[in-house]
Amino acid sequence: MEFIKEFSGILLATCRDVLPIVILIVVFQLLVLRQKIPHLRRLVIGGIYVVIGLALFLAGLEKALFPLGKIMATQLSDPEFLYGTTEIISHADWTAYGWVYLFAAMIGFATTIAEPSLIAVAFKANEVSAGTISTWGLRITVAIGVAFGISLGTFRIVSGTPLYLYILVGYVIVIIQTIFAPKSIVALAYDSGGVTTSTVTVPLVAALGLGLASTVPGRNPALDGFGLIAFASLFPIIAVMGYAQLMDWKTKRGKK
Amino acid sequence: MGEVLFGSLLIVLGLTLFIQGLEMGLFPIGEAMAQALARKGSLFWLLAFAFALGFSTTVAEPALIAVAAKAADIAGRGGLIDPGVESLAQYAFGLRMSVAFSVGLAILIGVMRILRGWPIHYLIIGGYVLVMLMTIVAPKEIIGIAYDAGGVTTSTITVPLVAALGVGLASTIRGRSPLTDGFGLIAFASLLPMIFVMGYGLIVFR
């Protein structure tokens, strides 16, 4: 019974969230373009699907993904598991958290390789480069990039170093790569950063970061908990440009 | 454990319905509208559409709803804002609105870029510099969530519709290639939210 009450609350909030899209379609289609809305029935049914689906997803998130990410973070950073003692550790030793880094890398790799928008981007990249960039090669490169990014992000949480230093270095690398990368790939590479972090990855990774920040001694979730997604959106840019440069260099060498 | 299984079931079911609904209704009409507006040739309405599209799709983005609520929760527990239900909801709402506004603005700038043919890397590098400048002045409690906001916003609804707008525009304007000029909108949409969320932090945490 309580679930139904909770769910109807979420459903109501979802209707409010979708309202701007409805207004956008009605205003532009009827007032600006002055056309009838085509396939109105389909659109309405699709809209109902979207609202119900969104509400179900949000209800499930609270029950499954957030707790799951948190449980994993808590267990992997349990002092008894890491140091073999139940004594309270006041200072975190970053070398003891190997499993955390490995686990983070695996989450990053697995969720990225299955990401539908990345498959679409890889396909486009193959077209732009006239076949020099292979679809699979790019997907694996980006997945390794995300895996490395999230792993480095957990290292940052464990060691408590400031986030902006890492991002600043990342930006400098991106800028240097932009100078040398083939011009046709630049816009696509910039886009791929936003594309790889999707609806399922984001809550899971966020919960992992927040869970880690609350269990590692000396860390504060409000200061250190966020930032993993930032890593996951920066490294694909570097990976895509790097891959394009490598392929470019290979073809040039092959011609000589 | 039962709770987690039930929740996973809800997630799978919800996402399936959600994506099915998007493909049935929103994606076809979004693409058709983007192309119709690109052909109409009115700069004002095109820019208004670009802003409204970025704003409204971001408001409905599920990952952002979830992360904003989480951020409010953490900020409340950390004593940064009043931990009452009302003020938490208000903080999460404010966070989402600043992100949605910035995505709208980002798509608008991106459309201008496609129309004028500005090179993308100058704009992005300028954006990076702004992010770093904001980082110096912003309260340090907001920086993590601000940096994350960039990746969070561009997800299930926003990416396909925005990509359709960019590619549609680049293919209707002469002298623009859809493959090199059509991309880049999402890059702006992941950059501007960082700057605006840090701005939001400046207002809220003082």
Coordinates of all heavy atoms in Angstrom, one line a residue, chain A residues 17 20-21 24-25 28-29 32 42-43 46 49-50 53-54 56-57 60-61 64-66 124 163-164 167-168 171 175 178 184 187-188 190-191 194 197 199-200 202 210 222 226-230 233, chain B residues 4 7-8 10-11 14-15 17-18 21-22 25-26 33 40 45 49 52 56 59-60 62 65-67 70 74 96 121 124 128 132 135 141 144-145 147-148 151 154-156 180 183-184 186-187 194:
Chain A
D17 N 7.6 17.1 -14.8 CA 8.9 17.1 -15.5 C 8.8 17.1 -17.0 O 9.6 17.6 -17.7 CB 9.8 15.9 -15.0 CG 10.1 16.1 -13.6 OD1 10.2 17.2 -13.1 OD2 10.4 15.0 -12.9
P20 N 7.3 20.6 -19.9 CA 8.0 21.6 -20.8 C 8.1 21.0 -22.2 O 7.9 21.8 -23.2 CB 9.3 21.8 -20.2 CG 9.2 21.5 -18.8 CD 8.1 20.4 -18.6
I21 N 8.3 19.7 -22.4 CA 8.4 19.1 -23.7 C 7.0 19.2 -24.4 O 7.0 19.5 -25.6 CB 8.9 17.6 -23.6 CG1 10.2 17.6 -23.0 CG2 8.9 17.0 -25.0 CD1 10.9 16.2 -23.1
L24 N 6.6 22.7 -25.5 CA 7.4 23.0 -26.7 C 6.8 22.5 -28.0 O 6.7 23.2 -29.0 CB 8.8 22.3 -26.5 CG 9.7 22.2 -27.7 CD1 10.4 23.5 -27.9 CD2 10.8 21.1 -27.5
I25 N 6.3 21.2 -28.0 CA 5.7 20.6 -29.2 C 4.5 21.4 -29.6 O 4.3 21.8 -30.8 CB 5.4 19.1 -29.0 CG1 6.7 18.3 -28.8 CG2 4.6 18.6 -30.1 CD1 6.5 16.9 -28.5
F28 N 5.4 25.2 -30.8 CA 6.1 25.3 -32.1 C 5.3 24.7 -33.3 O 5.3 25.2 -34.4 CB 7.5 24.7 -32.0 CG 8.5 25.7 -31.5 CD1 8.6 25.8 -30.1 CD2 9.2 26.5 -32.3 CE1 9.5 26.8 -29.6 CE2 10.1 27.4 -31.8 CZ 10.2 27.6 -30.4
Q29 N 4.7 23.5 -33.0 CA 4.0 22.9 -34.1 C 2.7 23.7 -34.5 O 2.5 23.9 -35.7 CB 3.6 21.4 -33.7 CG 3.1 20.6 -34.9 CD 4.3 20.2 -35.7 OE1 5.4 20.4 -35.4 NE2 4.0 19.6 -36.9
V32 N 4.0 28.2 -34.4 CA 5.1 28.7 -35.3 C 5.1 28.1 -36.7 O 5.1 28.7 -37.7 CB 6.5 28.5 -34.6 CG1 7.6 29.0 -35.5 CG2 6.5 29.2 -33.2
R42 N -0.4 8.2 -31.9 CA 0.9 7.6 -31.5 C 1.6 8.4 -30.5 O 2.2 7.9 -29.6 CB 1.7 7.5 -32.8 CG 1.8 6.1 -33.4 CD 2.7 6.2 -34.7 NE 4.1 5.9 -34.4 CZ 4.6 4.6 -34.3 NH1 3.8 3.6 -34.4 NH2 5.8 4.4 -34.1
L43 N 1.6 9.7 -30.8 CA 2.4 10.6 -29.9 C 1.9 10.6 -28.5 O 2.6 10.5 -27.5 CB 2.3 12.0 -30.5 CG 3.1 13.1 -29.8 CD1 4.6 12.8 -30.1 CD2 2.8 14.5 -30.3
G46 N 2.7 7.2 -26.9 CA 4.2 7.3 -26.6 C 4.5 8.1 -25.4 O 5.3 7.8 -24.6
Y49 N 3.6 6.2 -22.3 CA 4.7 5.3 -22.0 C 5.9 6.0 -21.3 O 6.5 5.5 -20.4 CB 5.2 4.7 -23.3 CG 4.4 3.5 -23.9 CD1 3.2 3.2 -23.4 CD2 4.9 2.8 -25.0 CE1 2.5 2.1 -23.9 CE2 4.2 1.7 -25.5 CZ 3.0 1.4 -25.0 OH 2.3 0.4 -25.5
V50 N 6.2 7.1 -21.9 CA 7.4 7.9 -21.3 C 7.2 8.2 -19.9 O 8.0 8.0 -19.0 CB 7.7 9.2 -22.1 CG1 8.6 10.1 -21.4 CG2 8.2 8.8 -23.5
G53 N 7.1 4.9 -17.7 CA 8.4 4.4 -17.7 C 9.4 5.1 -16.8 O 10.1 4.6 -16.0
L54 N 9.3 6.5 -16.9 CA 10.2 7.3 -16.2 C 9.9 7.2 -14.7 O 10.8 7.1 -13.9 CB 10.0 8.8 -16.6 CG 11.0 9.8 -16.2 CD1 12.3 9.5 -16.6 CD2 10.6 11.2 -16.7
L56 N 8.5 4.6 -13.1 CA 9.0 3.2 -12.7 C 10.5 3.2 -12.5 O 11.0 2.7 -11.5 CB 8.6 2.2 -13.7 CG 7.2 1.7 -13.8 CD1 7.0 0.7 -14.9 CD2 6.8 1.0 -12.5
F57 N 11.2 3.8 -13.4 CA 12.7 3.9 -13.4 C 13.1 4.6 -12.1 O 14.0 4.1 -11.4 CB 13.2 4.6 -14.6 CG 14.7 4.8 -14.6 CD1 15.6 3.8 -14.8 CD2 15.2 6.1 -14.3 CE1 16.9 4.0 -14.8 CE2 16.6 6.3 -14.2 CZ 17.4 5.2 -14.5
G60 N 12.5 2.5 -9.1 CA 13.4 1.4 -9.0 C 14.8 1.8 -8.6 O 15.5 1.1 -7.8
L61 N 15.2 3.0 -9.0 CA 16.5 3.6 -8.7 C 16.8 3.6 -7.2 O 17.8 3.2 -6.7 CB 16.6 5.0 -9.3 CG 17.9 5.5 -9.8 CD1 18.4 4.6 -10.9 CD2 17.7 6.9 -10.3
A64 N 17.0 -0.1 -5.9 CA 18.1 -1.0 -6.4 C 19.4 -0.4 -6.6 O 20.4 -0.7 -6.0 CB 17.6 -1.8 -7.6
L65 N 19.5 0.6 -7.6 CA 20.8 1.0 -8.1 C 21.6 1.8 -7.0 O 22.8 1.5 -6.8 CB 20.7 1.9 -9.3 CG 20.7 1.2 -10.6 CD1 20.8 2.2 -11.8 CD2 21.8 0.2 -10.7
F66 N 20.9 2.7 -6.3 CA 21.6 3.5 -5.3 C 22.1 2.6 -4.2 O 23.3 2.6 -3.8 CB 20.7 4.6 -4.8 CG 20.8 5.8 -5.6 CD1 19.6 6.6 -5.8 CD2 21.9 6.2 -6.3 CE1 19.6 7.7 -6.6 CE2 22.0 7.4 -7.1 CZ 20.8 8.1 -7.2
K124 N 29.2 6.6 -36.8 CA 29.4 7.9 -37.4 C 30.8 8.2 -37.6 O 31.2 8.7 -38.7 CB 28.7 9.0 -36.6 CG 27.2 9.1 -36.6 CD 26.7 10.0 -37.7 CE 25.3 9.6 -38.0 NZ 24.4 9.8 -36.9
L163 N 39.8 17.8 -7.0 CA 39.3 17.3 -8.3 C 39.8 18.2 -9.4 O 40.2 17.7 -10.5 CB 37.8 17.4 -8.2 CG 37.0 17.1 -9.5 CD1 37.2 15.7 -10.0 CD2 35.5 17.4 -9.3
Y164 N 39.9 19.5 -9.2 CA 40.2 20.4 -10.3 C 41.6 20.2 -10.9 O 41.8 20.5 -12.1 CB 40.0 21.9 -9.9 CG 40.9 22.4 -8.9 CD1 42.1 23.0 -9.3 CD2 40.7 22.4 -7.5 CE1 43.0 23.4 -8.4 CE2 41.5 22.8 -6.6 CZ 42.7 23.4 -7.0 OH 43.6 23.8 -6.1
I167 N 41.2 17.5 -13.5 CA 40.5 18.0 -14.7 C 41.3 19.0 -15.5 O 41.3 19.0 -16.7 CB 39.1 18.6 -14.2 CG1 38.3 17.6 -13.4 CG2 38.3 19.1 -15.4 CD1 37.8 16.4 -14.2
L168 N 42.0 19.9 -14.8 CA 42.9 20.8 -15.4 C 43.9 20.1 -16.3 O 44.1 20.5 -17.5 CB 43.6 21.7 -14.4 CG 44.5 22.8 -14.9 CD1 43.6 23.8 -15.7 CD2 45.2 23.5 -13.8
Y171 N 42.2 18.8 -19.4 CA 41.9 19.9 -20.3 C 43.1 20.2 -21.1 O 43.0 20.4 -22.4 CB 41.4 21.1 -19.6 CG 39.9 21.1 -19.2 CD1 39.4 22.1 -18.4 CD2 39.1 20.0 -19.6 CE1 38.1 22.0 -18.0 CE2 37.8 20.0 -19.2 CZ 37.3 20.9 -18.4 OH 36.0 20.9 -18.0
I175 N 43.5 20.1 -25.2 CA 43.9 21.2 -26.0 C 45.1 20.9 -26.9 O 45.1 21.2 -28.1 CB 44.1 22.5 -25.1 CG1 42.8 22.9 -24.5 CG2 44.7 23.6 -26.0 CD1 43.0 24.0 -23.4
T178 N 44.0 18.6 -29.6 CA 43.2 19.3 -30.6 C 44.0 19.9 -31.7 O 43.7 19.9 -32.9 CB 42.3 20.4 -30.0 OG1 41.6 19.8 -28.9 CG2 41.4 21.1 -30.9
S184 N 38.6 16.7 -38.9 CA 37.2 16.2 -39.1 C 36.8 15.5 -37.8 O 35.6 15.3 -37.6 CB 37.2 15.3 -40.3 OG 38.1 14.2 -40.1
A187 N 35.1 17.7 -33.6 CA 33.7 17.9 -33.0 C 33.1 16.6 -32.5 O 32.5 16.6 -31.4 CB 32.8 18.5 -34.1
L188 N 33.4 15.5 -33.2 CA 32.9 14.2 -32.8 C 33.5 13.8 -31.5 O 32.8 13.2 -30.6 CB 33.2 13.2 -33.9 CG 32.5 11.8 -33.7 CD1 31.0 12.0 -34.1 CD2 33.1 10.8 -34.6
Y190 N 34.7 15.7 -29.1 CA 34.2 16.5 -28.0 C 32.8 16.0 -27.6 O 32.5 15.9 -26.4 CB 34.0 18.0 -28.4 CG 35.3 18.7 -28.5 CD1 35.4 19.9 -29.2 CD2 36.5 18.3 -27.9 CE1 36.6 20.6 -29.3 CE2 37.7 19.0 -28.0 CZ 37.7 20.2 -28.7 OH 38.9 20.9 -28.8
D191 N 32.0 15.6 -28.6 CA 30.7 15.0 -28.3 C 30.7 13.7 -27.5 O 29.9 13.5 -26.7 CB 29.9 14.8 -29.6 CG 29.1 16.1 -29.9 OD1 29.3 17.1 -29.3 OD2 28.3 16.0 -30.8
G194 N 30.2 13.5 -23.6 CA 28.9 13.6 -23.0 C 28.1 12.3 -23.3 O 27.2 12.0 -22.5
T197 N 28.2 8.7 -20.8 CA 27.6 8.5 -19.4 C 26.1 8.6 -19.5 O 25.5 9.6 -19.6 CB 28.1 9.7 -18.5 OG1 28.0 10.9 -19.3 CG2 29.5 9.5 -18.1
T199 N 22.0 6.8 -18.6 CA 21.0 6.8 -17.5 C 21.3 5.8 -16.4 O 21.1 6.0 -15.3 CB 19.6 6.5 -18.1 OG1 19.5 7.2 -19.3 CG2 18.5 6.9 -17.2
V200 N 21.8 4.6 -16.8 CA 22.1 3.6 -15.8 C 23.5 3.8 -15.1 O 23.6 3.7 -13.9 CB 22.0 2.2 -16.4 CG1 22.3 1.1 -15.4 CG2 20.6 1.9 -17.0
V202 N 25.2 6.6 -14.7 CA 25.3 7.7 -13.8 C 24.9 7.5 -12.4 O 25.7 7.7 -11.5 CB 24.5 9.0 -14.4 CG1 24.3 10.0 -13.4 CG2 25.3 9.5 -15.6
L210 N 29.8 8.3 -3.7 CA 29.3 8.8 -2.5 C 29.5 7.7 -1.4 O 29.9 8.1 -0.2 CB 27.8 9.1 -2.6 CG 27.5 10.3 -3.5 CD1 26.0 10.4 -3.7 CD2 28.0 11.5 -2.8
A222 N 30.2 15.3 1.0 CA 29.8 16.6 0.4 C 31.0 17.2 -0.4 O 30.8 17.9 -1.4 CB 29.4 17.6 1.4
F226 N 31.3 13.5 -5.2 CA 31.0 13.6 -6.6 C 32.3 13.8 -7.4 O 33.4 13.9 -6.8 CB 30.1 14.9 -6.8 CG 28.7 14.6 -6.3 CD1 28.3 15.2 -5.1 CD2 27.8 13.9 -7.1 CE1 27.0 14.9 -4.7 CE2 26.5 13.7 -6.6 CZ 26.1 14.2 -5.4
G227 N 32.2 13.7 -8.7 CA 33.4 13.9 -9.5 C 33.7 12.7 -10.4 O 34.5 12.9 -11.4
L228 N 33.2 11.5 -10.1 CA 33.5 10.4 -10.9 C 33.0 10.5 -12.3 O 33.7 10.2 -13.3 CB 32.9 9.1 -10.3 CG 33.6 8.5 -9.1 CD1 33.0 7.2 -8.7 CD2 35.1 8.2 -9.4
I229 N 31.8 11.1 -12.4 CA 31.2 11.2 -13.8 C 32.0 12.2 -14.6 O 32.1 12.1 -15.8 CB 29.7 11.6 -13.6 CG1 29.0 10.6 -12.9 CG2 29.1 11.8 -15.0 CD1 27.7 11.0 -12.2
A230 N 32.6 13.2 -13.9 CA 33.4 14.2 -14.7 C 34.6 13.5 -15.3 O 34.9 13.7 -16.5 CB 33.9 15.3 -13.7
S233 N 33.5 11.6 -18.3 CA 33.2 12.3 -19.5 C 34.4 13.0 -20.1 O 34.3 13.5 -21.3 CB 32.0 13.4 -19.3 OG 31.7 13.5 -18.0
Chain B
V4 N 16.1 -5.1 -3.6 CA 16.9 -4.8 -4.7 C 16.5 -5.5 -6.0 O 16.4 -4.8 -7.0 CB 18.4 -5.2 -4.4 CG1 19.3 -5.1 -5.6 CG2 19.0 -4.4 -3.2
G7 N 13.4 -3.7 -7.2 CA 13.9 -2.4 -7.8 C 14.5 -2.6 -9.1 O 14.2 -1.8 -10.1
S8 N 15.3 -3.6 -9.3 CA 15.9 -3.9 -10.6 C 14.9 -4.1 -11.7 O 15.0 -3.7 -12.8 CB 16.9 -5.0 -10.6 OG 17.7 -5.0 -9.4
L10 N 11.8 -3.0 -11.6 CA 11.2 -1.7 -12.0 C 12.1 -1.0 -12.9 O 11.6 -0.3 -13.9 CB 11.0 -0.9 -10.7 CG 9.9 -1.3 -9.7 CD1 9.8 -0.4 -8.5 CD2 8.6 -1.4 -10.4
I11 N 13.4 -1.0 -12.7 CA 14.3 -0.2 -13.6 C 14.2 -0.7 -15.0 O 14.1 0.0 -16.0 CB 15.7 -0.3 -13.1 CG1 15.9 0.5 -11.8 CG2 16.7 0.2 -14.1 CD1 17.2 0.4 -11.1
G14 N 10.8 0.0 -16.5 CA 10.7 1.5 -16.7 C 11.5 2.0 -17.9 O 10.9 2.7 -18.7
L15 N 12.7 1.5 -18.0 CA 13.6 2.0 -19.1 C 13.0 1.5 -20.4 O 13.1 2.2 -21.4 CB 15.0 1.5 -18.9 CG 16.0 2.4 -18.2 CD1 17.4 1.8 -18.3 CD2 16.0 3.8 -18.8
L17 N 9.9 0.8 -21.2 CA 8.7 1.6 -21.6 C 9.1 3.0 -22.0 O 8.6 3.5 -23.0 CB 7.8 1.7 -20.3 CG 6.6 0.8 -20.2 CD1 5.9 1.1 -18.9 CD2 5.7 0.9 -21.4
F18 N 10.0 3.6 -21.3 CA 10.5 4.9 -21.5 C 11.1 5.1 -22.9 O 10.7 5.9 -23.7 CB 11.5 5.3 -20.4 CG 12.2 6.6 -20.5 CD1 11.4 7.7 -20.3 CD2 13.5 6.7 -20.8 CE1 12.0 9.0 -20.4 CE2 14.1 8.0 -20.9 CZ 13.3 9.1 -20.6
G21 N 8.5 4.5 -25.6 CA 7.6 5.7 -25.7 C 8.3 6.8 -26.5 O 7.7 7.5 -27.3
L22 N 9.6 7.0 -26.2 CA 10.4 8.1 -26.9 C 10.5 7.8 -28.4 O 10.3 8.7 -29.2 CB 11.8 8.1 -26.4 CG 12.1 8.7 -25.0 CD1 13.5 8.7 -24.6 CD2 11.6 10.2 -25.0
G25 N 6.9 8.4 -30.1 CA 6.3 9.7 -30.2 C 7.3 10.8 -30.3 O 7.3 11.6 -31.3
L26 N 8.2 11.0 -29.4 CA 9.0 12.2 -29.3 C 10.1 12.3 -30.3 O 10.3 13.4 -30.9 CB 9.6 12.3 -27.9 CG 10.2 13.6 -27.5 CD1 9.2 14.7 -27.6 CD2 10.9 13.6 -26.1
M33 N 10.3 18.4 -36.5 CA 10.2 19.9 -36.2 C 11.6 20.6 -36.4 O 11.6 21.7 -36.9 CB 9.8 20.0 -34.7 CG 8.3 19.8 -34.5 SD 7.9 19.7 -32.8 CE 8.0 21.4 -32.4
K40 N 12.5 26.7 -42.6 CA 11.7 27.9 -42.5 C 12.6 29.2 -42.6 O 12.1 30.2 -43.2 CB 11.0 27.9 -41.2 CG 9.8 28.9 -41.1 CD 9.1 28.6 -39.7 CE 8.4 29.8 -39.2 NZ 7.3 30.4 -39.8
W45 N 13.1 32.2 -34.6 CA 12.3 31.0 -34.1 C 13.3 29.8 -34.0 O 13.1 28.9 -33.2 CB 11.2 30.7 -35.1 CG 10.0 31.6 -34.8 CD1 9.5 32.5 -35.7 CD2 9.3 31.7 -33.6 NE1 8.5 33.2 -35.1 CE2 8.3 32.7 -33.8 CE3 9.3 31.1 -32.4 CZ2 7.4 33.1 -32.8 CZ3 8.5 31.5 -31.4 CH2 7.5 32.5 -31.6
F49 N 13.7 27.8 -30.6 CA 13.5 26.3 -30.6 C 14.7 25.6 -30.0 O 14.5 24.7 -29.2 CB 13.2 25.8 -32.0 CG 13.0 24.3 -32.1 CD1 11.8 23.8 -31.7 CD2 14.0 23.5 -32.6 CE1 11.6 22.4 -31.7 CE2 13.7 22.1 -32.7 CZ 12.5 21.6 -32.2
A52 N 14.6 26.1 -26.2 CA 13.5 25.4 -25.6 C 13.7 23.9 -25.6 O 13.4 23.2 -24.7 CB 12.2 25.8 -26.3
S56 N 13.8 21.9 -22.2 CA 12.8 21.0 -21.8 C 13.2 19.5 -21.7 O 12.8 18.8 -20.9 CB 11.6 21.1 -22.8 OG 12.0 20.8 -24.1
V59 N 15.0 19.0 -18.4 CA 14.1 19.0 -17.2 C 13.6 17.5 -17.0 O 13.5 17.0 -15.9 CB 13.0 19.9 -17.4 CG1 11.9 19.7 -16.3 CG2 13.5 21.4 -17.3
A60 N 13.4 16.8 -18.2 CA 12.8 15.5 -18.1 C 13.9 14.4 -18.0 O 13.5 13.2 -17.9 CB 11.9 15.2 -19.3
P62 N 16.1 11.6 -16.8 CA 16.0 10.8 -15.5 C 17.3 10.8 -14.7 O 17.2 10.9 -13.4 CB 15.7 9.4 -16.0 CG 15.8 9.4 -17.4 CD 15.7 10.8 -17.9
I65 N 17.5 14.0 -12.6 CA 16.5 14.0 -11.5 C 17.1 13.2 -10.3 O 17.1 13.7 -9.2 CB 15.2 13.4 -11.9 CG1 14.5 14.2 -13.1 CG2 14.2 13.3 -10.7 CD1 13.3 13.5 -13.6
A66 N 17.7 12.0 -10.6 CA 18.2 11.2 -9.6 C 19.4 11.8 -8.9 O 19.5 11.9 -7.7 CB 18.6 9.8 -10.2
V67 N 20.4 12.4 -9.7 CA 21.6 12.9 -9.1 C 21.3 14.2 -8.4 O 21.9 14.4 -7.3 CB 22.7 13.1 -10.2 CG1 23.8 13.9 -9.7 CG2 23.2 11.7 -10.7
K70 N 20.0 13.3 -5.0 CA 21.1 12.8 -4.2 C 22.0 13.9 -3.7 O 22.4 13.9 -2.5 CB 22.0 11.8 -5.1 CG 22.7 10.8 -4.3 CD 21.8 9.6 -4.0 CE 22.3 8.9 -2.8 NZ 21.3 8.0 -2.2
I74 N 22.9 14.9 0.2 CA 24.2 15.0 0.8 C 24.5 16.4 1.4 O 25.0 16.5 2.4 CB 25.3 14.7 -0.4 CG1 25.1 13.3 -0.9 CG2 26.7 15.0 0.1 CD1 25.4 12.2 0.0
R96 N 18.6 21.6 -10.9 CA 18.1 21.1 -12.2 C 17.8 22.3 -13.1 O 18.0 22.3 -14.3 CB 16.9 20.3 -12.0 CG 17.2 18.9 -11.6 CD 16.0 18.1 -11.2 NE 15.0 18.0 -12.3 CZ 13.7 17.8 -12.2 NH1 13.2 17.7 -11.0 NH2 12.9 17.8 -13.2
H121 N 36.9 24.4 -31.8 CA 37.8 24.3 -30.7 C 38.1 25.6 -29.9 O 38.4 25.6 -28.8 CB 39.1 23.7 -31.2 CG 39.6 24.3 -32.5 ND1 39.2 23.7 -33.7 CD2 40.4 25.3 -32.8 CE1 39.8 24.4 -34.7 NE2 40.5 25.3 -34.1
I124 N 35.3 25.8 -27.3 CA 35.5 24.8 -26.3 C 36.7 25.2 -25.3 O 36.6 25.1 -24.1 CB 35.8 23.4 -26.8 CG1 34.5 22.9 -27.6 CG2 36.2 22.4 -25.8 CD1 33.4 22.5 -26.7
Y128 N 36.7 25.9 -21.4 CA 37.6 25.3 -20.4 C 38.2 26.4 -19.5 O 38.3 26.2 -18.3 CB 38.7 24.5 -21.1 CG 38.3 23.2 -21.7 CD1 39.2 22.5 -22.5 CD2 37.1 22.6 -21.4 CE1 38.9 21.3 -23.1 CE2 36.7 21.4 -22.0 CZ 37.6 20.8 -22.8 OH 37.3 19.5 -23.3
M132 N 37.7 26.8 -15.4 CA 38.8 26.9 -14.4 C 38.7 28.2 -13.6 O 39.0 28.2 -12.4 CB 40.2 26.8 -15.1 CG 40.5 25.4 -15.5 SD 40.5 24.3 -14.1 CE 39.9 22.8 -14.8
T135 N 36.1 27.8 -11.0 CA 36.6 26.9 -10.0 C 37.3 27.7 -8.8 O 37.2 27.4 -7.7 CB 37.5 25.8 -10.5 OG1 36.8 25.2 -11.6 CG2 37.8 24.8 -9.5
E141 N 32.3 23.1 -2.0 CA 31.3 22.0 -1.8 C 30.5 21.8 -3.1 O 29.9 20.8 -3.3 CB 30.3 22.4 -0.7 CG 30.9 22.3 0.7 CD 31.5 23.7 1.0 OE1 31.5 24.6 0.2 OE2 32.1 23.8 2.1
G144 N 32.4 19.4 -7.1 CA 32.2 18.0 -7.5 C 31.0 17.8 -8.3 O 31.0 17.3 -9.4
I145 N 29.9 18.3 -7.7 CA 28.6 18.1 -8.4 C 28.5 18.9 -9.7 O 28.0 18.5 -10.7 CB 27.4 18.4 -7.5 CG1 26.0 18.2 -8.2 CG2 27.4 19.8 -6.9 CD1 25.7 16.8 -8.5
Y147 N 31.1 19.6 -11.8 CA 31.8 18.9 -12.8 C 31.0 17.7 -13.3 O 31.1 17.4 -14.5 CB 33.2 18.5 -12.3 CG 34.2 19.6 -12.2 CD1 33.9 20.9 -12.3 CD2 35.6 19.3 -12.1 CE1 34.8 21.9 -12.3 CE2 36.6 20.2 -12.0 CZ 36.2 21.6 -12.1 OH 37.1 22.5 -12.1
D148 N 30.3 17.1 -12.4 CA 29.5 15.9 -12.8 C 28.3 16.3 -13.7 O 27.9 15.6 -14.5 CB 29.0 15.2 -11.6 CG 30.0 14.2 -11.1 OD1 31.1 14.1 -11.6 OD2 29.7 13.4 -10.1
G151 N 28.4 15.7 -17.5 CA 28.2 14.4 -18.0 C 26.8 13.9 -17.8 O 26.3 13.1 -18.6
T154 N 23.6 15.1 -20.5 CA 23.5 14.6 -21.8 C 23.3 13.1 -21.8 O 24.3 12.4 -21.8 CB 24.8 15.0 -22.6 OG1 25.9 14.6 -21.8 CG2 24.8 16.4 -22.9
S155 N 22.1 12.7 -21.8 CA 21.8 11.3 -21.7 C 20.6 11.0 -22.6 O 20.4 11.5 -23.6 CB 21.6 11.1 -20.2 OG 21.0 10.0 -19.8
T156 N 19.7 10.1 -22.1 CA 18.7 9.4 -23.0 C 17.9 10.3 -23.9 O 17.7 10.0 -25.0 CB 17.8 8.5 -22.1 OG1 18.6 8.0 -21.0 CG2 17.2 7.4 -22.9
T180 N 31.0 17.0 -40.1 CA 31.9 17.8 -39.3 C 31.2 19.0 -38.6 O 31.6 19.4 -37.5 CB 33.1 18.4 -40.1 OG1 32.5 19.0 -41.3 CG2 34.0 17.3 -40.5
F183 N 28.1 17.8 -35.6 CA 28.4 17.4 -34.2 C 28.9 18.7 -33.5 O 29.1 19.7 -34.0 CB 29.5 16.4 -34.2 CG 29.0 15.1 -34.7 CD1 29.3 14.7 -36.0 CD2 28.2 14.3 -33.9 CE1 28.8 13.5 -36.5 CE2 27.8 13.1 -34.4 CZ 28.0 12.7 -35.7
G184 N 29.0 18.5 -32.2 CA 29.5 19.6 -31.4 C 28.5 20.2 -30.4 O 28.8 20.8 -29.5
I186 N 26.5 18.6 -28.4 CA 26.5 17.9 -27.1 C 27.7 18.4 -26.3 O 27.6 18.5 -25.1 CB 26.4 16.4 -27.4 CG1 25.1 16.0 -28.0 CG2 26.6 15.7 -26.1 CD1 25.1 14.7 -28.6
A187 N 28.8 18.7 -27.0 CA 30.0 19.1 -26.3 C 29.7 20.4 -25.5 O 30.1 20.6 -24.4 CB 31.1 19.4 -27.3
M194 N 28.6 23.0 -16.2 CA 29.6 23.1 -15.1 C 29.7 24.6 -14.6 O 29.8 24.8 -13.5 CB 31.0 22.7 -15.7 CG 31.1 21.3 -16.1 SD 32.9 21.1 -16.5 CE 32.9 19.6 -17.2

